[in-house]
Amino acid sequence: MTITHASQTTQFGSEHAADAALSIHDVTVAYHRRPVLWDLDLDIPRGVLASIIGPNGAGKSTMIKACLDLIPRISGNVRILGEPYRQIRGKVGYVPQRETVDWEFPVSALDVTCMGLYRKIGWFRSIRRPHREKAREALDRVGLADFAHRQISQLSGGQQQRVFLARALVQEADIYFMDEPFASVDVATEQAILELLRTMRQEGRTVVVVHHDLQTAQNYFDWVVLLNTRLVASGPMKETFTSENLRRTYGGRLTLLEEAGRALSQAQAGLPHEE
Amino acid sequence: MSRSASLPPRYAHRTLWTLLAIFLSPLAAYADPVFFESKLQKILFLQDYNTRIVVIGTSILGAACGLSGTFLLLRKRALMGDVLSHTMLPGVVLAFLLGTTFGYEKTLPLLLLGAAIAAGLGSLSVLMLRRISVLGDETAMAIVLSFFFGIGTVLLSIAQESATGHQAGLESFIYGKTASLTRGDVQWILLGSLFSLGLVLLLFKEFRMLCFDEEFTGCQGRPVVGLDAALFAVVIVTTLVGLQAVGLILIIALLVIPPAAARFWTDQLHHTTAVAATIGALGCWSGVTISALAPRLPAGALIVLSTAFLFLISLLFGSRRGLIGRLIRWSDTRASVGKDHLLRAFYELSESHLKWIRLEDLAGLRSWTPRQLQRLLKRARKRGEVIRGNANTWKLTDRGHLLAAHRTRNHRLWELYLIRYAHLATSHVDRAADRIEHVLGPELVHHLEQELDQRPPYAPESPHPILNPEESR
């Protein structure tokens, strides 16, 4: 299986397949009998901010999890930075959805951030001062320097999200997968996170983000993967994020979204801006 | 409040070493030469050989259970402790039957081995059931628990019919034989506890990550299944050695109650483990002590009851999340907010010159009920902040005036800060801070003051129009 796919890659894969940050080939994922992802085939080049966009249940999170071997694939293979994930775990960062953990857990923001270093620290060794310094720096970068010792349930939702980002930052990975980092955070946090993502891109890292907000997608990202169980389109934002493609992604539902979006932007325009 | 939560993590090791000391400290009792006459003293100071053995054994066990139970609880698998202990019964009985068939005497290691194998099979069945079916955790655990326990009960009755009197001891695995623990039993307990402690020390940070975020653990290249197995091994071993002490029905109490109680005292994992171990040890010690004073009562049950009592104490008085502490903090906040509101109401009605204020004007300023307002005024008068004139008029004293000006100034600065720096404000606002400069820094405060058309030392004007009491009515 793997061999055939590999040869397909060389035959049909575009030229960036070799130096792609993420290349997914023929990936199918199913929960029980229902396929969630279908024959997914795509490449994401290095150094871009890429967004995965699609309706609820389109398999956005599933795609990330399938890339990280968190759920089994029925078929297909994934290359991250040209290698199977298993071999380059250390270069891959992951920011899960905030709801996946129990925030009452007895750890501080610093403890959670340090978890990003456990791999480097190694088995059976304890966390030492340099590790904590590094974690503190990461917390500083996400604007949580003053909250290092807070128990995580005493942080707001946006701050919790940023703790997760700090934990990913200390990994100093080359490619990051983030599952809805913008979900239910306020505007200020959203800007702070975006700022961070742009810095990461400047540093040459690739960031793949599951995103749900069509309004902001265009401004935030430079690459887009439109997904609805199967791949609708994948490419640079400008050429790919077309109304035609969006209609194919969302089906009839998009008109609803568009109307809602228009109403929203009108409402915002009508409000006096406090600056 | 966050002070105590911010102890540096190097305490992890210190607390864990302390823990080790707790494990070993009862051994010191061996060296106690002083003689006391009364029974209480004899028991409290562990002079009676039997009591000494039991106290030492169960205290070590309690600490080990608290330690391993913490992770079980945080992994959200508290009931798994119950499953493990119940699945051990068929293993114990089967090992006994095999042993007698092949002519071995009933030996503890053999029985423990049987129990360990059965517990391993039991936990494996739970994992398998969950994996291959749509059953949830709880259902899978309930099925496995009752199935294994059923087998165990059947085997037990067979053993009682066929064997020759040796089987009497088997019952002790169900109900425990706390009061008649032997030195050999205690050695097993010590060994098992040291094993658990060692494994926890080695894998402390991995266990923490696993319990907190399973997915992330997998992404870090750490084997989730392997770590889970290690965690189960810790719990299985402590349960195994504790089986004889409190019995398989009650051991779940020692696994679950101490860590649950510990959550009321601390927000740090290493402290949670230490506190849980201490509570476990204390519960066992007090349970055994009570049972030594009243030998007719079952010691195993007394241990559980006194541990539960410690839980109740923690629930009420726990320093982090205890009910009473929370109530006190809540009423403190309420009182200080009420005081602030009253002073500010006075100040806003009189601004910088003192004058008599009618009660109705005060009442119109906020949504106080007449009773609330009366109470606030009464308290403020006691503190010497206001004085009462005739015909229901009130006035700030000089002291009260100064205080009111200060509070109002702080309030208005905070308000302005929230308006100006909305993007980072909410997390920094600390209205309770007496001096706003301590939180925001003097420069920023100076800046804010200037913006407010500064008139220190008295309060600057409010950034929003103050409700006129005349109009509001």
Side-chain angles (χ1 to χ4, degrees):
Chain A
M1 279 293 275
T2 325
I3 297 164
T4 19
H5 287 306
S7 64
Q8 269 180 3
T9 313
T10 43
Q11 271 178 9
F12 303 114
S14 51
E15 50 269 34
H16 33 223
D19 59 289
L22 172 70
S23 75
I24 295 176
H25 285 285
D26 192 23
V27 163
T28 297
V29 175
Y31 289 134
H32 302 293
R33 292 189 65 83
R34 195 174 65 87
V36 186
L37 285 178
W38 220 332
D39 298 339
L40 213 56
D41 246 300
L42 64 96
D43 289 322
I44 293 177
R46 293 186 195 214
V48 297
L49 283 185
S51 60
I52 306 172
I53 287 177
N56 288 339
K60 304 186 293 279
S61 303
T62 309
M63 181 185 133
I64 284 188
K65 286 180 183 166
C67 291
L68 300 178
D69 294 346
L70 286 171
I71 46 174
R73 300 185 291 266
I74 283 183
S75 76
N77 64 44
V78 175
R79 291 277 181 275
I80 300 175
L81 306 169
E83 312 257 358
Y85 172 60
R86 204 175 289 264
Q87 285 166 27
I88 53 153
R89 273 179 208 280
K91 291 182 179 170
V92 183
Y94 174 48
V95 180
Q97 281 183 30
R98 187 151 44 91
E99 295 78 40
T100 53
V101 303
D102 170 20
W103 290 92
E104 288 294 324
F105 201 87
V107 285
S108 65
L110 189 68
D111 290 333
V112 175
T113 311
C114 281
M115 286 180 193
L117 292 166
Y118 282 7
R119 199 183 152 78
K120 269 180 209 146
I121 297 171
W123 288 100
F124 313 129
R125 286 160 198 266
S126 56
I127 303 158
R128 302 204 174 278
R129 184 180 293 266
H131 305 131
R132 277 194 289 275
E133 288 306 318
K134 210 163 190 185
R136 237 180 269 270
E137 272 166 36
L139 280 172
D140 194 31
R141 273 185 76 182
V142 298
L144 289 182
D146 297 340
F147 300 88
H149 293 297
R150 279 246 185 130
Q151 199 262 327
I152 50 175
S153 68
Q154 292 167 13
L155 300 172
S156 71
Q159 290 169 338
Q160 292 174 345
Q161 188 67 60
R162 282 185 276 163
V163 171
F164 265 1
L165 281 170
R167 180 177 70 174
L169 279 181
V170 295
Q171 287 181 263
E172 291 176 337
D174 290 336
I175 178 168
Y176 283 97
F177 292 89
M178 302 186 180
D179 203 343
E180 304 247 15
F182 296 112
S184 58
V185 299
D186 61 24
V187 187
T189 309
E190 186 157 332
Q191 289 308 314
I193 294 176
L194 183 66
E195 206 57 43
L196 197 69
L197 295 188
R198 289 188 169 147
T199 319
M200 287 160 89
R201 177 177 54 189
Q202 270 170 19
E203 292 164 353
R205 305 180 208 275
T206 313
V207 188
V208 181
V209 177
V210 171
H211 196 59
H212 64 281
D213 186 4
L214 290 176
Q215 308 288 329
T216 53
Q218 228 166 339
N219 298 326
Y220 287 5
F221 302 99
D222 44 24
W223 193 271
V224 65
V225 174
L226 290 166
L227 202 65
N228 192 352
T229 308
R230 66 211 162 72
L231 180 71
V232 177
S234 163
M237 182 61 82
K238 266 187 194 147
E239 292 106 75
T240 319
F241 201 73
T242 60
S243 51
E244 172 58 24
N245 276 339
L246 284 173
R247 198 164 300 118
R248 282 168 58 211
T249 313
Y250 285 86
R253 279 171 288 183
L254 186 62
T255 47
L256 264 178
L257 282 173
E258 272 173 345
E259 271 163 32
R262 211 172 293 131
L264 202 69
S265 53
Q266 274 165 4
Q268 276 169 349
L271 279 173
H273 256 284
E274 235 181 350
E275 201 41 56
Chain B
M1 211 181 99
S2 61
R3 273 299 93 190
S4 67
S6 62
L7 290 169
R10 79 184 120 89
Y11 278 82
H13 297 277
R14 207 169 290 172
T15 34
L16 284 166
W17 282 118
T18 320
L19 209 69
L20 189 67
I22 291 172
F23 269 107
L24 299 175
S25 64
L27 295 177
Y30 274 117
D32 185 15
V34 194
F35 180 72
F36 288 94
E37 281 183 354
S38 85
K39 191 179 177 187
L40 177 67
Q41 278 169 336
K42 218 172 160 183
I43 287 161
L44 279 183
F45 291 94
L46 302 175
Q47 273 151 13
D48 180 48
Y49 174 78
N50 203 23
T51 318
R52 191 158 63 205
I53 286 289
V54 177
V55 164
I56 292 168
T58 52
S59 300
I60 296 173
L61 176 71
C65 282
L67 177 73
S68 41
T70 303
F71 293 99
L72 204 60
L73 219 67
L74 289 174
R75 189 81 176 100
K76 311 245 180 287
R77 292 194 176 150
L79 270 181
M80 203 58 204
D82 220 11
V83 176
L84 291 176
S85 61
H86 279 74
T87 49
M88 283 176 184
L89 184 64
V92 169
V93 185
L94 212 58
F96 170 76
L97 283 175
L98 283 176
T100 44
T101 318
F102 293 104
Y104 291 106
E105 278 299 291
K106 186 196 96 182
T107 50
L108 192 57
L110 184 68
L111 299 187
L112 291 184
L113 183 70
I117 293 172
L121 279 177
S123 42
L124 213 66
S125 336
V126 171
L127 294 178
M128 288 302 292
L129 258 186
R130 217 182 40 192
R131 189 129 213 198
I132 59 174
S133 68
V134 291
L135 301 176
D137 254 359
E138 285 172 32
T139 319
M141 288 197 270
I143 292 172
V144 171
L145 182 151
S146 46
F147 177 63
F148 273 71
F149 194 62
I151 298 178
T153 321
V154 169
L155 288 175
L156 192 62
S157 72
I158 292 173
Q160 271 161 349
E161 274 168 26
S162 61
T164 55
H166 292 297
Q167 83 285 356
L170 286 181
E171 300 258 327
S172 74
F173 283 96
I174 302 182
Y175 301 110
K177 51 157 192 170
T178 319
S180 49
L181 280 181
T182 63
R183 201 178 173 140
D185 296 333
V186 174
Q187 276 163 357
W188 277 103
I189 289 176
L190 186 65
L191 215 64
S193 304
L194 284 176
F195 170 82
S196 300
L197 180 66
L199 211 53
V200 166
L201 279 176
L202 275 179
L203 293 173
F204 188 84
K205 71 179 196 305
E206 273 75 21
F207 279 165
R208 166 159 64 189
M209 180 158 69
L210 173 76
C211 295
F212 176 63
D213 192 344
E214 180 186 326
E215 268 187 2
F216 190 76
T217 309
C219 284
Q220 291 287 292
R222 295 290 185 255
V224 171
V225 180
L227 283 172
D228 261 336
L231 186 52
F232 276 165
V234 169
V235 179
I236 287 176
V237 167
T238 34
T239 311
L240 262 185
V241 295
L243 220 48
Q244 285 202 301
V246 285
L248 62 84
I249 298 176
L250 290 181
I251 191 128
I252 180 77
L254 282 186
L255 282 171
V256 172
I257 297 177
R263 293 298 303 273
F264 293 100
W265 296 97
T266 169
D267 269 341
Q268 298 273 293
L269 183 56
H270 41 275
H271 294 157
T272 310
T273 51
V275 174
T278 312
I279 289 177
L282 268 179
C284 288
W285 171 77
S286 49
V288 168
T289 306
I290 295 169
S291 96
L293 292 168
R296 285 186 179 193
L297 301 177
L302 283 176
I303 286 177
V304 172
L305 287 180
S306 51
T307 314
F309 177 71
L310 290 177
F311 173 79
L312 201 66
I313 300 265
S314 309
L315 175 76
L316 290 176
F317 302 103
S319 53
R320 291 300 283 179
R321 293 155 189 243
L323 220 53
I324 288 176
R326 279 211 322 249
L327 272 178
I328 290 174
R329 279 194 287 272
W330 184 75
S331 70
D332 269 3
T333 314
R334 207 174 68 148
S336 98
V337 167
K339 178 182 159 188
D340 267 21
H341 283 174
L342 184 73
L343 287 175
R344 246 170 48 223
F346 267 105
Y347 192 85
E348 283 170 0
L349 287 172
S350 54
E351 287 292 335
S352 44
H353 11 263
L354 286 170
K355 62 179 182 199
W356 290 100
I357 288 161
R358 287 181 304 149
L359 189 70
E360 303 93 80
D361 292 344
L362 273 177
L365 217 55
R366 287 197 170 271
S367 59
W368 283 312
T369 63
R371 241 178 97 195
Q372 276 175 327
L373 184 56
Q374 283 298 341
R375 200 183 320 149
L376 284 172
L377 283 167
K378 211 173 122 190
R379 281 190 199 150
R381 191 163 65 163
K382 256 189 200 161
R383 288 191 300 263
E385 289 157 11
V386 296
I387 45 172
R388 185 177 180 163
N390 38 20
N392 245 343
T393 55
W394 294 80
K395 196 167 90 169
L396 287 169
T397 60
D398 283 344
R399 204 175 90 99
H401 191 230
L402 215 66
L403 202 63
H406 177 70
R407 291 294 163 101
T408 312
R409 164 185 170 270
N410 271 7
H411 170 77
R412 288 178 187 173
L413 286 174
W414 277 126
E415 225 165 31
L416 183 71
Y417 175 70
L418 274 169
I419 293 170
R420 285 289 172 275
Y421 301 93
H423 57 289
L424 47 91
T426 40
S427 51
H428 282 84
V429 170
D430 182 2
R431 283 175 182 278
D434 246 0
R435 294 177 59 82
I436 181 172
E437 290 87 345
H438 288 176
V439 186
L440 294 184
E443 264 172 58
L444 182 53
V445 171
H446 184 66
H447 186 73
L448 285 170
E449 268 175 344
Q450 280 186 327
E451 255 196 84
L452 271 181
D453 182 26
Q454 53 165 334
R455 282 189 294 165
Y458 290 124
E461 257 176 73
S462 176
H464 62 74
I466 294 167
L467 210 60
N468 189 329
E470 306 296 327
E471 288 164 24
S472 74
R473 249 179 287 130

